[in-house]
């Protein structure tokens, strides 16, 4: 069963959080509220998120400061951040948002369809990365144990075939997503994330192919999951 991705919504106004939930409910993912930067950082200590929607203007710790804390933490620095703001002070203000680590900077009022589309891309990329980590974990068990992963009684050849089939499914979905990003002229950050995912998939496929009988290869090195 595929687990839902978590999306962190950060805004000090309850009505804004309610509006975001209404817009994103169609994605059928888990929406987590945070009414302040401090509350957002606390949520990020325990949960993994696919993307963060972060209001710029908040009392106390504003969006820029919150983003700076997120990017300083190793656990959270790679989570995409979409800034939402009710003000527009021109290019300098927008540049400050990107400099703080945002992948996008959207002014209110925004088009609900556009916001939902942008968030869905990062959710899909997150899900593909989760699938990739699962395949890498299975492969690592096979490499380190030299036998069957816990709870799996299949012969090595059968296990390799199953891993290969699972990886092929992820590869196919990743390829389709990359084509969609190219067709839609998506954000550069989303395209770069998809390219990074494809590189990891290629490394994992090479490692898996090296385990096939008759390849003559030694123990392959698994690709980094960072």
């Amino acid at each position: 069963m595929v687990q839902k991705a978590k999306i962190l919504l950060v805004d000090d106004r309850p009505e804004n959080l309610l509006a975001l939930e209404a817009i994103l409910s169609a994605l059928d993912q888990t929406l987590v509220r945070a009414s302040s930067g401090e509350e957002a950082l606390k949520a990020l200590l325990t949960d993994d998120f696919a993307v963060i929607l972060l209001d710029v203007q908040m009392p106390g710790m504003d969006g820029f400061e919150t983003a700076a804390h997120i990017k300083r933490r190793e656990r959270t620095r790679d989570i995409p951040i979409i800034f939402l703001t009710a003000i527009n002070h021109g290019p300098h203000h927008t540049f400050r948002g990107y400099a703080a680590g945002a992948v996008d900077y959207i002014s209110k009022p925004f088009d609900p369809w556009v916001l939902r589309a942008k968030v869905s891309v990062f959710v899909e990329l997150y899900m593909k990365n989760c699938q990739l980590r699962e395949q890498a974990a299975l492969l690592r068990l096979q490499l380190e144990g030299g036998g069957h992963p816990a709870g799996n009684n299949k012969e090595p050849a059968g296990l390799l075939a199953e891993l290969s089939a699972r990886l092929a499914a992820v590869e196919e979905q990743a390829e389709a997503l990359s084509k969609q990003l190219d067709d839609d002229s998506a954000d550069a950050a989303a395209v770069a994330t998809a390219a990074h995912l494809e590189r990891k998939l290629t490394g994992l496929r090479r490692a898996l192919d090296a385990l096939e009988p008759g390849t003559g290869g030694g123990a392959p090195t698994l690709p980094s999951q960072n």
Side-chain angles (χ1 to χ4, degrees):
M1 182 177 179
V2 179
Q3 291 187 343
K4 295 182 179 181
K6 291 184 178 180
I7 302 171
L8 183 59
L9 313 176
V10 189
D11 199 303
D12 63 296
R13 294 180 174 272
E15 62 270 24
N16 290 342
L17 291 172
L18 188 62
L20 288 174
E21 289 176 338
I23 293 170
L24 300 176
S25 60
L27 297 179
D28 193 28
Q29 304 300 326
T30 302
L31 306 177
V32 178
R33 284 187 175 202
S35 59
S36 66
E38 292 84 355
E39 190 174 333
L41 294 176
K42 184 179 297 185
L44 288 163
L45 287 175
T46 55
D47 290 325
D48 294 324
F49 291 90
V51 61
I52 302 169
L53 275 62
L54 181 57
D55 183 41
V56 172
Q57 286 189 298
M58 294 186 295
M61 184 184 296
D62 66 12
F64 295 130
E65 187 178 353
T66 303
H69 283 288
I70 293 171
K71 293 302 177 181
R72 278 198 293 266
R73 293 178 179 177
E74 184 176 357
R75 173 189 172 91
T76 59
R77 63 187 179 192
D78 293 326
I79 302 176
I81 298 174
I82 298 177
F83 272 133
L84 305 176
T85 178
I87 58 173
N88 188 356
H89 291 317
H92 175 74
H93 202 258
T94 303
F95 174 77
R96 186 182 175 191
Y98 287 117
V103 297
D104 209 340
Y105 191 95
I106 303 177
S107 297
K108 305 174 185 176
F110 45 77
D111 186 328
W113 294 96
V114 171
L115 179 64
R116 190 185 301 119
K118 289 177 181 290
V119 171
S120 68
V121 168
F122 289 106
V123 167
E124 194 163 355
L125 287 170
Y126 172 82
M127 300 298 283
K128 296 299 180 290
N129 270 297
C130 288
Q131 291 177 325
L132 179 58
R133 283 195 294 269
E134 290 175 0
Q135 305 313 312
L138 286 172
L139 181 55
R140 185 171 287 108
L141 283 172
Q142 176 69 13
L143 292 174
E144 294 176 351
H148 314 299
N152 195 317
N153 297 320
K154 294 184 179 181
E155 292 298 322
L159 178 61
L160 287 176
E162 180 180 334
L163 287 174
S164 181
R166 291 185 183 182
L167 181 57
V170 179
E171 288 170 332
E172 182 178 350
Q173 293 169 346
E175 182 179 358
L177 178 59
S178 295
K179 289 180 179 178
Q180 177 186 334
L181 291 176
D182 291 339
D183 294 341
D184 295 343
S185 300
D187 299 330
V191 174
T193 303
H196 181 57
L197 174 62
E198 287 190 338
R199 287 194 297 271
K200 292 197 289 185
L201 282 168
T202 299
L204 187 56
R205 170 59 67 185
R206 288 175 180 169
L208 190 58
D209 289 345
L211 288 176
E212 292 291 341
T215 58
T221 300
L222 287 174
S224 170
Q225 293 303 299
N226 296 326

